[in-house]
Amino acid sequence: MSQCQLTKFSGGYPLDKFIIEGGVRLKGVVEISGAKNAALPILAATLLTDEKSVIKNVPPLRDVYTMLRILRNMGVRADMEDGVCVVHPNGYNNYIAPYKLVSTMRASVCVLGPLLAKLKHAEVSMPGGCVIGPRPIDLHIKGLKALGADLKVEHGYIIADAKNLTGGRVYLGGKFGSSVLATANVMMAATLARGKTVIENAACEPEVCDLADFLVKMGAKIKGQRTPILEIEGVKSLHGVEYSIINDRIEAGTFMVASAITGGDVLIKGANIEHLGAVIDKLKDVGVKITSTKDGIRVVKTGFIKPVDVTTLSYPGFPTDMQAQMMALMCITKGISVITEKIYPERFMHISELARMGAHIILEGSSAIVKGVSKLSAAPVMASDLRASAGLVLAALVAKGKTEISRIYHLDRGYHNIEEKLEKLGVKIKREKED
Ligand code: EPZ
């Protein structure tokens, strides 16, 4: 485990485990935190100006701390207190994002675009693969080259140079559709390029739109947000801003499934119905009652859980980051569901762990065939990646007995204070040190 992972971060130490006693119907109100996947590129975007920025509603998660360490490593003053990040980039001059930090968080690659635009040079460690599958960066490279940058890979680092970035037109779709962080990188670099950039097949995820809104507030000229065609007119410079990021739609979706799987009644405060269309649509097919209130989304489940088929797609399609959570729910239906992963075809590490709890799942290529069972049973299981861990927590909520989930540092990457939030909803959950 790298040094980075051995240091304490929000939520506990890496060698923690959860003990969850199943059988409780979740009831009450849970408040959603800020979106990790909006915070990371927005923190990277602060590199585009010499002026101070203040970013609010930032979740105190390990990945956010890693991004702050990457910024500090470049000579940026970056601090976080009570969910507010204050970033002073003035005069930073180190253009390196080192392997020891990037290897613990693939998303670090999103400093590439801002560094190129501001310092005209960048040396960013290749993100490498992870348990959900390979994490290629060919679209990042293609997009930045379209702006006139020179990029090569040497000794595991992307070495990028751009004497003068000039606007260009680039199609950023890959065989798995659009790319969230490649869109982020190219959009950020284009804000300071000379002339106009058009990105075709841009990612439309809410987190990409939040980044675009942040850049516009900094003085960038961007059109086409929320559509697959982004137009960016380069400007001379950008200024520091005060900004509050959106709430985390994946955390909200996870708690929606938690209410559904336990037959509960939960108000998910701060959930934005506009960000969860595909998830809401699927949960309604499952038989969940979903109502939008002024505070958030209320999720009530009574009666049987109906089996549904799910295919993950780029936004506004069903999010890949909700696939494991949906699979946990489909484990206890009275029928058969097919879950097809079109974004990360290998993102199925949770299947073997769910099987240890009595689930019947057969993997055929990038489709999982889930044959519902009447009940799951508690078992010792191991978290493997962020969203797989969330799926195991959901399964543990309904498994008979006490489930032990080890290596929950994966969960601490994307869910702030999940045990407190679950406890408030009635769940019997304990965090302990792994023996
Ligand atoms: C972002 O990752 C998210 N991470 C991921 O969330 C999320 O699963 C993913 O988007 C898809 O929605 C952050 O925002 C920090 P992509 P990103 O580039 O941008 C392929 C979580 O759980 N691809 O949109 O790295 C890629 O292999 C994390 O919070 C290329 O082929 O994902 C994948 O199949 C996990 N070439 C597909 O595109 C490239 O150059 C979508 O990936 C880049 C990506």
Side-chain angles (χ1 to χ4, degrees):
M1 191 166 297
S2 79
Q3 186 53 34
C4 173
Q5 288 166 340
L6 284 175
T7 50
K8 181 166 172 48
F9 49 87
S10 109
Y13 286 84
L15 301 180
D16 286 355
K17 64 184 176 187
F18 274 158
I19 316 258
I20 297 174
E21 189 167 347
V24 172
R25 289 172 186 267
L26 272 60
K27 294 253 190 293
V29 180
V30 62
E31 182 122 26
I32 298 306
S33 303
K36 165 179 84 82
N37 291 352
L40 298 175
I42 284 174
L43 283 168
T46 61
L47 294 169
L48 289 164
T49 176
D50 291 325
E51 296 180 13
K52 178 179 102 171
S53 289
V54 178
I55 299 143
K56 297 175 178 169
N57 196 33
V58 178
L61 297 165
R62 188 181 72 170
D63 279 4
V64 171
Y65 288 120
T66 302
M67 182 56 86
L68 293 176
R69 289 178 66 183
I70 287 172
L71 296 182
R72 286 189 202 119
N73 188 58
M74 291 172 184
V76 173
R77 272 178 38 218
D79 298 296
M80 176 152 81
E81 183 107 18
D82 300 331
V84 178
C85 284
V86 180
V87 182
H88 292 265
N90 47 329
Y92 80 93
N93 52 18
N94 177 1
Y95 42 62
I96 297 174
Y99 174 72
K100 68 175 168 35
L101 291 175
V102 175
S103 61
T104 66
M105 184 183 67
R106 319 285 163 224
S108 321
V109 70
C110 67
V111 298
L112 186 56
L115 285 175
L116 255 188
K118 196 73 177 65
L119 299 187
K120 314 291 181 208
H121 185 80
E123 292 180 20
V124 177
S125 170
M126 292 281 281
C130 62
V131 286
I132 66 175
R135 307 297 289 270
I137 57 163
D138 55 305
L139 296 173
H140 299 245
I141 291 173
K142 175 184 178 184
L144 294 171
K145 276 187 172 169
L147 303 188
D150 290 319
L151 296 102
K152 60 184 182 226
V153 174
E154 265 175 16
H155 311 300
Y157 278 74
I158 308 153
I159 314 288
D161 278 296
K163 294 290 165 285
N164 286 303
L165 284 178
T166 47
R169 174 180 284 271
V170 62
Y171 177 77
L172 266 194
K175 68 179 183 178
F176 300 104
S178 54
S179 164
V180 168
L181 290 181
T183 302
N185 258 330
V186 177
M187 176 167 63
M188 289 189 281
T191 59
L192 294 178
R194 255 176 325 142
K196 179 174 168 179
T197 296
V198 177
I199 302 174
E200 295 173 326
N201 205 334
C204 305
E205 274 70 0
E207 295 77 23
V208 175
C209 302
D210 208 26
L211 171 64
D213 293 346
F214 178 78
L215 292 168
V216 166
K217 200 167 178 186
M218 290 177 86
K221 291 200 175 97
I222 301 173
K223 286 195 293 192
Q225 291 90 314
R226 294 160 185 83
T227 79
I229 311 280
L230 279 176
E231 287 187 13
I232 303 109
E233 194 64 52
V235 293
K236 280 240 171 305
S237 65
L238 296 173
H239 51 78
V241 288
E242 198 164 302
Y243 191 81
S244 190
I245 65 170
I246 55 172
N247 281 342
D248 195 314
R249 64 190 166 105
I250 303 301
E251 185 189 19
T254 304
F255 276 99
M256 291 171 78
V257 175
S259 181
I261 201 170
T262 59
D265 179 347
V266 177
L267 171 65
I268 294 135
K269 223 169 150 199
N272 184 338
I273 200 160
E274 288 169 15
H275 295 164
L276 286 154
V279 174
I280 289 168
D281 179 59
K282 272 302 159 197
L283 288 177
K284 282 181 174 170
D285 290 348
V286 164
V288 182
K289 190 164 170 287
I290 294 176
T291 37
S292 175
T293 76
K294 63 177 176 31
D295 295 324
I297 299 175
R298 187 172 171 199
V299 179
V300 182
K301 181 72 190 85
T302 53
F304 292 121
I305 292 168
K306 296 189 194 99
V308 295
D309 295 339
V310 176
T311 297
T312 66
L313 292 167
S314 305
Y315 191 88
F318 192 90
T320 174
D321 292 349
M322 281 295 301
Q323 181 255 105
Q325 298 91 316
M326 208 59 196
M327 187 180 290
L329 182 62
M330 292 298 103
C331 286
I332 55 167
T333 68
K334 287 184 168 300
I336 292 178
S337 316
V338 180
I339 297 180
T340 302
E341 182 50 81
K342 293 270 190 194
I343 305 296
Y344 290 110
E346 299 165 32
R347 192 176 197 171
F348 290 113
M349 291 289 283
H350 37 290
I351 289 181
S352 48
E353 299 306 298
L354 290 169
R356 290 176 51 75
M357 300 171 78
H360 285 184
I361 306 168
I362 302 161
L363 187 55
E364 283 295 332
S366 63
S367 290
I369 301 151
V370 186
K371 188 169 176 298
V373 293
S374 55
K375 66 173 176 46
L376 294 173
S377 60
V381 290
M382 190 180 287
S384 55
D385 61 277
L386 170 52
R387 307 303 174 182
S389 327
L392 297 179
V393 169
L394 295 171
L397 296 178
V398 286
K400 197 164 168 40
K402 288 186 180 177
T403 297
E404 240 184 60
I405 305 175
S406 60
R407 300 193 182 185
I408 52 163
Y409 61 85
H410 290 291
L411 207 63
D412 291 330
R413 300 187 59 160
Y415 292 92
H416 177 49
N417 278 350
I418 190 165
E419 63 265 43
E420 281 86 346
K421 290 172 178 172
L422 286 170
E423 256 174 345
K424 259 185 76 179
L425 296 172
V427 175
K428 296 187 190 103
I429 179 171
K430 272 193 306 184
R431 179 189 283 262
E432 288 184 1
K433 293 260 168 298
E434 276 184 30
D435 348 308

